[in-house]
Each structure stands twice: as C-alpha cells, then as structure tokens.
C-alpha cells in the first residue's frame, strides 16, 4: 500500500455543493442514473457508445468501424467521410439557426461585430476560395498568427473546409517561436494581421512575421488582415492584404469530403525540455469529442450566450471557442483584449452587455480578479450567468469559493474541467446538473473516459493515495501523434505506464471517487522522504486573507533532502517579517508540521506561461540560487525573473 512513488495528500477539503434543483430540472444530463448509465456503456462497449454519439454529426459517408486498433494507435470512424467546417456551419443553415449569432465579437477599443451563421458561412467560403487561389491544397500546413478577431475563426474554418491543416501560434510568441513552428510544420502560408490591441497598445504581429520568415523558407505567401491600421511593410509577390483577396472571392465553395482521420490541426505545446511538441488532432473524433463534451459540461442550450475567455491560440480556444460550441450551433462571445482594459471591470461589463449565460475562464484570471477587488464585479449586473467553468490549473479552494460567491452569487454550478492539449477535449469534470461539487476537485470522468491513479509500476492505488494520473482506454479526441516525431509521441505518453496514456499529472481519488489533481509530477517535492504536492501548500497559503497567489517549490536541504520555499504575492504590497512568520504558522496549522515552509519570499508577481500557468521550474533555480539553463521561450514576462533574483536575501 505505501509505495515510495506515492504522493502524500495533506490538504483536506470537506465543503460540498449539490447542483441547484432548478438547474438539474433543465440539464442536458439530469440525473446520477443517466450519468452512470452513459459512463458504464461507454466503458464496456465504446464502439456502441461512440457510434451512437456520432449520429450527432453530419456525414458524407458513414463509417465502417468506430474504433479501429488499440491505444496508442487507435483510429476512429474509419471509412467515414465528413467535413468539420460543414458540421460547424452549413448544417445549421438548414434550420432557424441561419439567422442566429454565431460570433458576437468585441475588440479591445470597444468596436463590435456580430456574425450570424449565414455571415460566417459566406466569409468562410470566400476565404476557402482565397486559400485555393494561393495554391493551398488538402494536407498543406497553414500558420495562423493573429489577434482575437473574427478573421481568426474564419481562417480556421476555411482551412478545415478544404482540408488544409492549421497551426495557430499565440500572438504573444516571438518571431523565433514562429520560425521554429513554421519550420517544424513546413508551413506554406502564414496568415497574420498588422497588429492586435492589448492594454491599449498595438502588438506588432506583422513585424514578427517578417523577422520569422528570414528563418522559415517553406513559407511562400503571407496574408495580412488590417486590424490596427499600423504601418506595415508589404513585400511584393509575397504579402497580400486579406481585404483585397476577399473582395474578388466567390462565396460558393463546397466543403471537401475528408476521411475521418484527416488531420485537422497541429498545436504546439511546450515541453519542459527540448523543442515544442506538435500535437496533431484529426477530424471526426476530435469534432465529436468537443461537440459532446460541450453539451454535457456546458449544458449548452439554443438560447445560451457562451463566453470562453481563452485565446484561440491555446487548445481551450480551439475546442471551446471554435469547434465544440459551433458544432452545437451556439452563440459565442469573443473578446480581443485584456481583462483590465480600460479598467478591471471589463469582463463583468461584457457579461452584462451581452447577457452572457455561460462563462469559462482560468484560475490565474480568478486570482487576479480577487486581487483587483470585489468592487469591479459588484458594479455590474451578473444575473444572466447560469454556469461557470474553470480550466488550466488546479483551482485553489479559496479561489473557487470566491468564484462561487462573488461571480456565481451562489446560484451557478462551477465546472472545474481537467484536460490537456493532448486530450483534445474535457476529460474529467462535474456535470453541472448532476455532480455535487467540491472546491478544488475536478470530480469524475466524463462518459468515454477511464482514468486511474497508479504507482510507477502501474498498480491502481486505493482511495486518498496520490499517484500518477493515467487513462486506461482510448477516446475519440485523443492526439494521434506528435507531428513528424511518432517516437517522441510513444515515449512521452505511452512508455511510463504500460498500456496506458500517462498525462504527466499527479492526482488522488477520494472515497467518493472524486479526482483531485495535484499538479505536474515534475513539481512534486520530497521532504524527509515524504512526496508532497506543491499545489496543496499553495492552496493553504491562498486561503490566508492577505495572500493573492503563491508558488511553492523545493530546494536542496541538508537534513530534509528538500526544503519548502514559498513565493507569495500579496493582495496589498505590505510584506513584513511578522507576516512571514504568520504565514509559516498558518500553513503548519492548516496542513501539518510536515509541510512547514522553510522560506517565504514575497514577490510582486510570479513567472507564468503565456497561458497563465505558474512556471515552478524557473522558481526552483532561484530558490536553489542556481543559474537557470531552462527553456524560457513560453515565459510571459522576463522582467519577473530578474526581479525575483534581485529580491534574494
Ligand atoms: C486545457 C489545458 C494541461 C495541464 C494539465 C494539468 C493542468 C488543466 C486543470 C489542470 C487541475 C484542472 N491544456 N490542468 N486543467 N489541473 N485542474 N481543471 O490547460 O495542455 O495547456 O495544460 O494543465 O496539469 O496536465 S494544457
């Protein structure tokens, strides 16, 4: 039972919130029995289950085999033909949805656009014809390096319409990052904009593209959207304006009939070491997964106004701004800019303005909202909200409680959704009409997902034993390979635990079968032979009224092996030695002597990835007083590292 690879869990959270009866009464999945039945059917007979679900898609040709081969090389719906763009747009035009808003867009400066499904269809068809006119063929790779404007979604769906494979690069990445990804994918075309707006400043995208193209010779043409009106150099014969190309394009373009396993997109995700991994997703399985999980988890209804605040450059935006919601014919809100521009009330203003009913954001954003203060949400009417979601990191229970009370006004269920770029869609999450939620737990697996928590030898662990989170069965929306490196795919995900997909996260399951993700296993610290999850110490710190955010790492310690070093951001900038002592006592009191911090360091901010995840591996070097040799290409703000180093005592 006790195994040296186990992770000890020290944080105990006992609060539980059943779904409101009024929510349950109208929910897409509305009872525990229905959940159990779906989950067991999917586990015992996945071909039957997913075959039935696939009736929700529109097929040009029905599949022969639902599930073909074993993990990791399972193919889904082989023999079938469909088109993702057709499923996200065309089929809605035969219904009342043709006049429904598909995209309700707001730019950071306050300009707005609404595209009905008909409008989206016209723009996508035209741009698909533009792609063809530029020589883009089925299977070619196209890089999208764009701000959060409707043209980004139009370009994605236009690629899907002709079977070109998009590779979206988040607009905050550097020219070098763009060049690396262009080269890895051998992209033929880059679509970009002059710039995008962020906190009132222009992010100069085209300049970065120009620099990247000096190092990425595969790219033949660049299409540029005029967004900010800033100055750009247009290279003759290479660079073309979006609006010029669109002016002449025909609005008729049949969706190409593509194999179920035709590649839909590549999305690069940073490894902790080495070059980024090109996660490849394919058509039918990915679309089905994102469509069904949107229905189950977000309880999407015809009349909802749904807002996911992620950037489309991350998987969350791919799956839950674009493909999942549009496959369901939903109305989505898309916002270009920062949450604190022109002031810290922007998100709440948008919720009120568009009467948003479903709101999906990240713990890092929630911690920022808490720090900014309740006066911002309190200025706005948030009564349109009926469901809240979170994704990206474990949510600290105190942040969860704030989200529940201040934003959800104790009325809205919260879905804490665990998933990864690699899983394509949500894997573990409450069902909002069914699951009693516990702050900090992503609760139970969705139908079709068979997780386990195991030792390093692959043995299943008992309740409340922390170990490695794995998947025992394949699912339709799973990644198929790492682009151009199938060996790395096998090595990264399938070599740790035989016969299983290994997610890289540590987790435990409680006595009710709820899963508590404890963070990346690389972040675990070993104190006197006890393996502790850094996230649990962080949650204890965040529960202190003066703490806004915390990152905990290990550092070499003569006696204990590793000591506990806590980087702490305060709500108000007033850190003192007394407060340090108080925080140490607080953690000790909350979770026990074993987790007593050895060091508290106050920091103005923490190093994060551009998608908001705390980069603990960089803090480990600082805590140990080492020079860092780590990859910092995904770091959001380099100044933070220098500041943290200078703050060392
Ligand atoms: C969707 C996304 C994946 C990693 C994953 C976890 C962490 C994401 C949760 C979470 C605890 C959650 N894709 N993670 N969601 N941890 N609870 N609800 O973020 O590829 O960028 O990251 O994020 O460590 O492995 S991702």
């Amino acid at each position: 039972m006790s195994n040296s690879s186990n992770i000890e869990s020290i944080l105990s959270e006992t609060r539980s919130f059943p779904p409101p009866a009024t929510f349950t009464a109208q929910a897409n999945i509305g009872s525990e029995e229905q959940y159990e039945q779906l989950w067991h059917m999917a586990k015992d007979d996945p071909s039957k289950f997913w075959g039935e679900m696939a009736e929700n898609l529109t097929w040009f040709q029905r599949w022969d085999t639902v599930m073909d081969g074993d993990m990791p090389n399972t193919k889904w719906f082989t023999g079938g033909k469909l088109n993702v763009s057709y499923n996200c747009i065309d089929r809605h035009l035969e219904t009342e949805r043709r006049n429904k808003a598909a995209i309700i867009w707001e730019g950071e400066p306050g300009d707005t656009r609404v595209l009905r499904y008909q409008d989206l269809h016209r723009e996508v068809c035209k741009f698909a014809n533009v792609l063809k006119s530029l020589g883009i063929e089925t299977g070619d790779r196209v890089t999208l390096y764009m701000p959060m404007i409707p043209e980004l979604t139009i370009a994605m769906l236009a690629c899907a319409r002709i079977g070109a494979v998009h590779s979206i690069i988040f607009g905050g990445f550097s020219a070098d990052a763009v060049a690396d990804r262009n080269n890895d994918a051998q992209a033929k075309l880059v679509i970009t904009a002059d710039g995008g707006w962020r906190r009132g400043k222009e992010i100069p995208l085209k300049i970065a593209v120009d620099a990247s193209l000096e190092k990425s010779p595969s790219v033949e043409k660049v299409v540029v959207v005029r967004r900010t009106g800033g100055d750009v150099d247009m290279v003759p014969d290479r660079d073309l304006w979006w609006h010029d190309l669109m002016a002449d394009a025909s609005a008729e373009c049949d969706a190409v009939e593509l194999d179920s396993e035709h590649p839909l997109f590549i999305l690069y995700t940073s490894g902790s070491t080495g070059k980024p991994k090109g996660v490849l997703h394919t058509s039918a399985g990915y679309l089905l997964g994102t469509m069904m999980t949107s229905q189950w988890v977000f309880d999407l209804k015809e009349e909802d106004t749904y807002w996911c605040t992620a950037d489309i450059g991350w998987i969350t935006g791919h799956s839950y701004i674009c493909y999942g919601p549009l496959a369901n014919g939903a109305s989505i809100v898309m916002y270009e800019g920062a949450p604190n521009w022109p002031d810290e009330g922007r998100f709440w203003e948008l919720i009120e303005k568009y009467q948003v009913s479903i709101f999906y954001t990240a713990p890092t954003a929630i911690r920022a909202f808490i720090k900014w203060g309740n006066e911002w949400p309190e200025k706005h009417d948030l009564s349109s909200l009926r469901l809240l979601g979170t994704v990206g990191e474990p949510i600290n229970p105190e942040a969860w409680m704030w989200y529940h009370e201040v934003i959800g006004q104790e009325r809205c269920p919260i879905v804490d959704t665990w998933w990864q770029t690699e899983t394509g869609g949500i894997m573990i999450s409450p069902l909002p009409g069914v699951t009693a939620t516990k702050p900090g737990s992503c609760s139970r697996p969705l139908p079709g997902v068979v997780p386990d928590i195991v030792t390093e030898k692959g043995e299943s662990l008992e309740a409340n034993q922390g170990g490695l989170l794995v998947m025992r069965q394949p699912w339709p929306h799973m990644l198929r390979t790492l682009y151009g490196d199938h060996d790395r795919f096998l090595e990264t995900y399938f070599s740790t635990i035989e016969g299983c997909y290994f997610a890289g996260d540590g987790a435990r399951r409680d006595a009710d079968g709820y899963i508590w993700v404890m963070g990346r296993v690389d972040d675990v610290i070993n104190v006197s032979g006890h393996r502790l999850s850094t996230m649990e110490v962080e949650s204890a710190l965040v529960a202190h009224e003066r703490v806004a955010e915390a990152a905990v790492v290990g550092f070499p310690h003569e006696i204990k092996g590793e000591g506990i070093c806590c980087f702490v951001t305060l709500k108000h900038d007033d850190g003192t030695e007394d407060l340090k002592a108080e925080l140490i006592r607080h953690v000790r009191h909350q979770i026990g002597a074993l987790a007593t911090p050895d060091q508290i360091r106050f920091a103005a901010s923490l190093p994060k990835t551009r998608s908001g995840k705390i980069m603990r591996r960089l803090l480990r070097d600082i805590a140990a007083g080492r020079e860092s040799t780590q990859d910092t290409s995904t770091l959001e703000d380099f100044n933070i590292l220098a500041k943290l180093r200078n703050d060392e005592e």
Side-chain angles (χ1 to χ4, degrees):
M1 197 181 78
S2 93
N3 177 305
S4 63
S5 72
N6 292 6
I7 308 167
E8 291 178 36
S9 178
I10 44 189
L11 191 74
S12 65
E13 171 60 56
T14 52
R15 291 170 285 200
S16 170
F17 299 86
T22 47
F23 196 100
T24 303
Q26 59 79 61
N28 289 343
I29 298 183
S31 72
E32 182 66 25
E33 296 70 47
Q34 198 187 349
Y35 164 66
E36 292 278 334
Q37 192 216 331
L38 289 171
W39 192 81
H40 283 286
M41 179 181 160
K43 175 172 181 283
D44 298 339
D45 195 347
S47 290
K48 177 164 183 279
F49 177 81
W50 288 112
E52 283 180 16
M53 292 300 135
E55 303 290 350
N56 291 304
L57 298 178
T58 304
W59 296 84
F60 294 134
Q61 186 179 305
R62 211 185 146 80
W63 60 90
D64 301 319
T65 313
V66 173
M67 204 180 150
D68 203 348
D70 294 328
M71 193 157 69
N73 295 312
T74 317
K75 307 259 177 293
W76 290 84
F77 305 104
T78 46
K81 284 191 189 294
L82 84 179
N83 183 286
V84 170
S85 139
Y86 187 94
N87 274 274
C88 290
I89 313 171
D90 301 49
R91 60 175 176 156
H92 305 314
L93 303 183
E94 293 151 28
T95 72
E96 289 171 6
R97 287 178 187 150
R98 63 184 284 109
N99 275 313
K100 179 176 176 178
I103 301 174
I104 300 164
W105 176 81
E106 178 147 324
E108 196 187 71
D111 45 340
T112 64
R113 278 167 73 186
V114 177
L115 279 90
R116 301 167 304 153
Y117 273 96
Q118 303 191 40
D119 304 322
L120 184 61
H121 181 256
R122 182 190 62 240
E123 298 302 304
V124 167
C125 286
K126 287 173 77 172
F127 196 67
N129 283 325
V130 167
L131 290 173
K132 287 196 265 185
S133 75
L134 297 176
I136 299 301
E137 293 173 5
T138 301
D140 286 345
R141 276 81 53 215
V142 176
T143 293
L144 276 50
Y145 181 63
M146 299 171 78
M148 283 281 286
I149 53 178
E151 284 81 359
L152 172 51
T153 315
I154 291 164
M156 292 167 84
L157 292 163
C159 287
R161 197 162 189 88
I162 64 167
V165 181
H166 62 68
S167 163
I168 305 184
I169 304 174
F170 172 61
F173 277 117
S174 66
D176 279 349
V178 177
D180 288 347
R181 287 156 176 76
N182 279 340
N183 289 335
D184 191 79
Q186 288 294 294
K188 268 173 85 172
L189 175 70
V190 174
I191 305 169
T192 189
D194 45 5
W197 294 111
R198 185 92 190 164
R199 277 189 204 95
K201 291 208 186 73
E202 189 181 343
I203 309 276
L205 297 170
K206 176 63 165 60
I207 291 172
V209 168
D210 290 342
S212 79
L213 292 194
E214 288 166 19
K215 298 182 203 163
S216 39
S218 65
V219 175
E220 294 164 9
K221 300 269 182 222
V222 179
V223 176
V224 188
V225 179
R226 185 176 279 152
R227 164 64 188 138
T228 57
D231 275 346
V232 291
D233 290 331
M234 295 295 276
V235 176
D237 299 328
R238 189 195 75 183
D239 299 352
L240 303 150
W241 285 109
W242 172 288
H243 55 263
D244 287 343
L245 295 164
M246 289 291 269
D248 303 328
S250 154
E252 260 164 60
C253 177
D254 284 342
V256 178
E257 302 191 8
L258 298 165
D259 290 337
S260 294
E261 285 290 342
H262 186 77
L264 179 64
F265 66 83
I266 302 167
L267 181 56
Y268 287 90
T269 172
S270 65
S272 43
T273 52
K275 67 179 180 103
K277 300 176 289 204
V279 170
L280 182 92
H281 283 288
T282 59
S283 300
Y286 172 82
L287 182 66
L288 182 60
T290 55
M291 178 177 175
M292 296 317 298
T293 52
S294 298
Q295 282 181 26
W296 297 333
V297 175
F298 298 120
D299 194 53
L300 273 180
K301 296 284 171 8
E302 208 59 69
E303 57 274 23
D304 274 312
T305 305
Y306 165 93
W307 184 20
C308 165
T309 69
D311 191 285
I312 288 187
W314 312 119
I315 191 68
T316 304
H318 283 62
S319 300
Y320 297 109
I321 295 178
C322 184
Y323 293 113
L326 295 181
N328 283 296
S331 293
I332 62 167
V333 171
M334 188 175 167
Y335 169 59
E336 178 186 32
N340 53 351
W341 189 267
D343 63 37
E344 282 75 3
R346 188 65 183 273
F347 275 16
W348 321 123
E349 180 199 318
L350 287 172
I351 288 175
E352 179 175 356
K353 176 171 177 185
Y354 295 113
Q355 294 287 288
V356 171
S357 55
I358 303 171
F359 179 68
Y360 190 33
T361 195
T364 182
I366 296 170
R367 292 188 300 258
F369 303 149
I370 298 173
K371 190 170 177 177
W372 294 337
N374 294 4
E375 61 266 32
W376 296 106
E378 278 164 7
K379 275 187 208 154
H380 297 277
D381 177 9
L382 304 181
S383 61
S384 59
L385 290 171
R386 67 179 193 95
L387 178 63
L388 303 175
T390 128
V391 60
E393 286 179 292
I395 181 165
N396 315 112
E398 289 317 309
W400 194 103
M401 287 304 301
W402 181 90
Y403 200 28
H404 172 66
E405 288 165 4
V406 179
I407 306 304
Q409 297 166 349
E410 300 180 23
R411 172 186 76 241
C412 305
I414 297 178
V415 288
D416 174 354
T417 63
W418 180 89
W419 59 294
Q420 305 177 296
T421 304
E422 293 86 342
T423 69
I426 299 170
M427 302 290 277
I428 308 175
S429 168
L431 293 174
V434 176
T435 317
T437 49
K438 305 185 190 187
S441 170
C442 54
S443 82
R444 297 180 300 181
L446 295 182
V449 176
V450 186
D452 200 359
I453 292 162
V454 301
T455 65
E456 267 157 23
K457 295 196 194 97
E459 301 146 344
S460 298
L461 285 162
E462 293 170 23
N464 288 319
Q465 305 263 314
L468 311 179
L469 178 61
V470 299
M471 300 298 149
R472 292 205 174 273
Q473 287 188 14
W475 62 98
H477 34 305
M478 158 176 146
L479 81 165
R480 297 298 191 267
T481 191
L482 293 177
Y483 190 75
D485 200 348
H486 200 66
D487 286 345
R488 189 173 180 202
F489 162 77
L490 297 174
E491 162 75 27
T492 309
Y493 307 107
F494 297 96
S495 69
T496 312
I497 305 295
E498 205 184 309
C500 292
Y501 168 84
F502 173 46
D505 283 359
R508 74 181 162 96
R509 198 164 14 200
D510 71 16
D512 299 328
Y514 279 48
I515 291 171
W516 299 74
V517 173
M518 299 156 89
R520 306 293 296 168
V521 289
D522 305 344
D523 291 336
V524 166
I525 40 185
N526 194 325
V527 181
S528 311
H530 299 276
R531 286 165 52 83
L532 306 181
S533 139
T534 54
M535 175 261 154
E536 295 194 325
V537 183
E538 289 161 10
S539 285
L541 285 162
V542 172
H544 189 280
E545 56 179 10
R546 287 172 68 183
V547 174
E549 194 157 47
V552 168
V553 296
F555 67 95
H557 189 286
E558 265 181 34
I559 298 154
K560 298 195 268 188
E562 275 189 295
I564 299 178
C565 176
C566 311
F567 293 84
V568 173
T569 308
L570 298 173
K571 285 184 190 158
H572 310 286
D573 202 13
D574 53 358
T576 59
E577 289 305 310
D578 280 353
L579 182 58
K580 284 188 185 175
E582 186 182 322
L583 290 176
I584 291 172
R585 279 197 303 277
H586 168 82
V587 172
R588 215 185 145 94
H589 178 74
Q590 284 240 318
I591 53 184
L594 188 60
T596 308
D598 295 277
Q599 286 183 29
I600 303 273
R601 298 190 187 194
F602 295 121
S605 35
L606 299 172
K608 292 185 188 170
T609 66
R610 290 156 213 257
S611 63
K613 296 185 209 292
I614 296 172
M615 291 177 83
R616 294 180 191 75
R617 60 193 164 84
L618 301 181
L619 292 171
R620 278 202 288 275
D621 290 330
I622 292 174
R626 282 192 296 260
E627 273 303 306
S628 188
T629 53
Q630 307 255 9
D631 171 26
T632 51
S633 65
T634 59
L635 182 67
E636 194 189 5
D637 180 356
F638 286 90
N639 297 327
I640 290 174
L641 281 191
K643 262 194 162 162
L644 286 166
R645 286 191 184 284
N646 292 338
D647 285 351
E648 277 170 56
E649 291 124 320

